[in-house]
Amino acid sequence: MSTSTTAPRAWVVLGGVHLLNRTLSRQAADPLVLVRVTPQEVSRPSTTVIIRWNTLGTCSAEALRSDGTRIGSARINGEDLFPDAIAGTALRRLIGAEAALSLVPLCYLAEHPDGYHAYAQIRFHPEDACFLRTTSEPIGRGPVQALHWLDPVLAAHYVSSTALNNHHRYFRKHFEGTELEYKYTLDPAPDIWAAAMELLKALRDGELEGCRPEYREEFQIHHTENHLFEVTGPEPEVGYASFVPTVTAGHVLKRKWFAKDTFARREQLVYGIDVTSDGFEAYLRNELGLQVLAMPPFQRVRYDIQCESMRTGHVYGIFLDRCALLADPTVVLSQCELEYLRTRGVLDQDQDEVLGEMERINGWLRNYVAGRGWAVEHTFHSKLSFLRGAVADQPTLVTEHVGGVSANPTAP
């Protein structure tokens, strides 16, 4: 065990996949391999740990049976552990070819003064693996080879197996139905592609303390038309309703409820709305009973950077977007937005921690955009406010669009 004078140690624990999914009973002879690695946590303890095999270098690997009997040891380069996500030659030699067929990373095990924190393997690829913490307190105090941690680790995995053993079921969303968002209006507006690539690199390089791009979901591209209507009544429904065409058929209806631009807004997305563009207003009035005012449609190009706090598992979107009116593409709104998206985790959390962490990230983002001369302070300036301003400047923008369709044949 670690003491005040020794650095904490860490291991990637390998074993048969049946120890995760219980397709076979655990046996005393089941092999385990303890692969010693340099600590991989961004913070201690983390919620999420990402391991890239080719960064591990040469590792000491010790093979034991589930009852603690020693099998042997070897020195193995990290990138040779699982070529093609299959146990490599050195592992097959160490525990036998047959046992190696089902060998996978079981968990990442991090040493702490009172035991070990365990992180269950939730995704596993030839290049890397993602691990999620399942222990709220350190467990299994004692020498790692004594395996005092093994039963608690497998028990914790079983308790959360529905989340851990199913793709993306380990995500949850705090503040369900509410959008939390800071906005920066970029003026002068940069090339948002170049800006997004630069910001993504900053996250990869660890410039935002404790955060990294979300594992295998770090960047998305969106390019849509939006047909937005201000909802003026009834009073509880005030906000906006926007129709976004889908790739296949129909539209997504995005509703946001707010009387003024603000940080937190109620939000709802309804998919599969079967209505043509000339029927948007009638749908809102007749089907939903809303009082609405048509706004000029716009094209939105958005680049999404997904930023994950490795300490908490909270995932935030940093969006660079550009909105241009269909009727007059010179009328443009360019923004950088910070929004809470979801949380990766199976342990209990205080959802209010999202707010404090988001404020910290926003402080970093504010300095980032200010340092490049794009914006000085965040706002809550909505797309609705942008469109209201555009109409105030050019009242004909509304009359040029009848039923949500551009009456200008040259408009894109």
Side-chain angles (χ1 to χ4, degrees):
M1 290 300 302
S2 64
T3 69
S4 59
T5 59
T6 60
R9 298 173 296 172
W11 297 262
V12 178
V13 180
L14 316 180
V17 69
H18 66 279
L19 296 177
L20 300 181
N21 58 31
R22 296 196 172 191
T23 52
L24 295 173
S25 299
R26 177 179 157 196
Q27 303 294 325
D30 287 341
L32 299 168
V33 182
L34 309 181
V35 181
R36 175 81 180 274
V37 297
T38 56
Q40 301 290 304
E41 308 100 303
V42 171
S43 62
R44 285 177 53 83
S46 290
T47 290
T48 308
V49 170
I50 308 300
I51 295 180
R52 292 177 173 82
W53 306 122
N54 65 359
T55 67
L56 295 180
T58 301
C59 306
S60 298
E62 184 173 6
L64 307 169
R65 302 203 183 280
S66 187
D67 63 4
T69 305
R70 189 172 187 276
I71 298 174
S73 62
R75 301 274 293 171
I76 307 175
N77 193 288
E79 61 187 353
D80 295 329
L81 289 168
F82 290 102
D84 300 311
I86 300 170
T89 301
L91 286 174
R92 295 197 298 271
R93 288 173 179 165
L94 183 59
I95 65 169
E98 184 174 354
L101 290 174
S102 63
L103 198 69
V104 299
L106 298 179
C107 68
Y108 170 78
L109 196 67
E111 187 177 47
H112 286 257
D114 295 325
Y116 303 88
H117 269 302
Y119 300 73
Q121 181 261 110
I122 53 173
R123 295 189 67 178
F124 166 44
H125 298 273
E127 303 83 12
D128 52 37
C130 181
F131 301 83
L132 185 63
R133 184 157 59 91
T134 56
T135 50
S136 56
E137 300 292 339
I139 47 86
R141 183 169 186 161
V144 68
Q145 295 86 352
L147 305 184
H148 297 322
W149 48 267
L150 182 59
D151 284 343
V153 165
L154 295 180
H157 192 105
Y158 178 70
V159 167
S160 299
S161 59
T162 300
L164 298 172
N165 291 350
N166 288 283
H167 187 63
H168 280 186
R169 288 291 299 277
Y170 37 77
F171 282 114
R172 70 184 85 172
K173 187 174 178 68
H174 300 299
F175 304 99
E176 187 69 44
T178 299
E179 177 192 63
L180 306 176
E181 187 175 56
Y182 293 107
K183 297 173 181 282
Y184 293 86
T185 298
L186 306 180
D187 184 19
D191 177 331
I192 61 169
W193 174 265
M197 292 299 100
E198 182 183 355
L199 202 154
L200 180 57
K201 182 179 184 302
L203 289 179
R204 288 173 179 152
D205 292 344
E207 292 186 21
L208 176 52
E209 184 181 355
C211 296
R212 296 291 185 272
E214 183 183 3
Y215 178 72
R216 290 188 172 251
E217 196 62 76
E218 61 180 28
F219 187 69
Q220 297 178 359
I221 296 173
H222 300 277
H223 183 182
T224 60
E225 282 188 8
N226 285 255
H227 301 262
L228 189 148
F229 293 77
E230 180 176 3
V231 177
T232 59
E235 193 275 334
E237 303 295 328
V238 165
Y240 75 69
S242 181
F243 292 91
V244 181
T246 64
V247 174
T248 51
H251 294 78
V252 175
L253 176 59
K254 177 189 288 188
R255 293 283 312 277
K256 292 191 181 181
W257 287 260
F258 60 102
K260 64 177 183 178
D261 293 347
T262 187
F263 170 67
R265 298 180 293 178
R266 179 184 167 199
E267 180 182 50
Q268 180 187 61
L269 299 178
V270 181
Y271 295 86
I273 301 296
D274 186 14
V275 61
T276 56
S277 56
D278 59 353
F280 290 156
E281 186 167 342
Y283 179 89
L284 295 174
R285 290 184 181 276
N286 300 333
E287 298 296 325
L288 301 184
L290 302 176
Q291 301 158 21
V292 296
L293 181 65
M295 292 285 116
F298 60 94
Q299 180 191 74
R300 186 181 192 186
V301 176
R302 194 178 85 189
Y303 303 128
D304 294 2
I305 298 166
Q306 317 281 70
C307 166
E308 180 170 355
S309 166
M310 310 305 277
R311 183 180 67 84
T312 65
H314 302 321
V315 180
Y316 305 90
I318 303 177
F319 307 147
L320 279 297
D321 76 356
R322 181 183 187 276
C323 299
L325 300 190
L326 297 185
D328 185 354
T330 65
V331 180
V332 172
L333 173 68
S334 186
Q335 290 184 306
C336 177
E337 302 175 343
L338 171 63
E339 180 180 345
Y340 167 69
L341 299 178
R342 58 187 167 271
T343 297
R344 190 198 308 268
V346 295
L347 300 176
D348 291 337
Q349 292 177 308
D350 179 359
Q351 70 170 8
D352 287 343
E353 187 178 25
V354 171
L355 304 177
E357 185 169 69
M358 195 171 177
E359 188 173 319
R360 179 183 73 84
I361 294 173
N362 183 55
W364 176 86
L365 185 61
R366 179 176 58 248
N367 292 335
Y368 185 92
V369 298
R372 285 152 182 79
W374 298 337
V376 176
E377 187 54 82
H378 72 253
T379 71
F380 305 115
H381 190 62
S382 66
K383 303 298 185 289
L384 176 57
S385 291
F386 160 64
L387 295 175
R388 283 172 175 163
V391 171
D393 291 340
Q394 299 185 56
T396 57
L397 286 172
V398 174
T399 59
E400 286 177 352
H401 289 77
V402 180
V405 180
S406 174
N408 179 357
T410 65

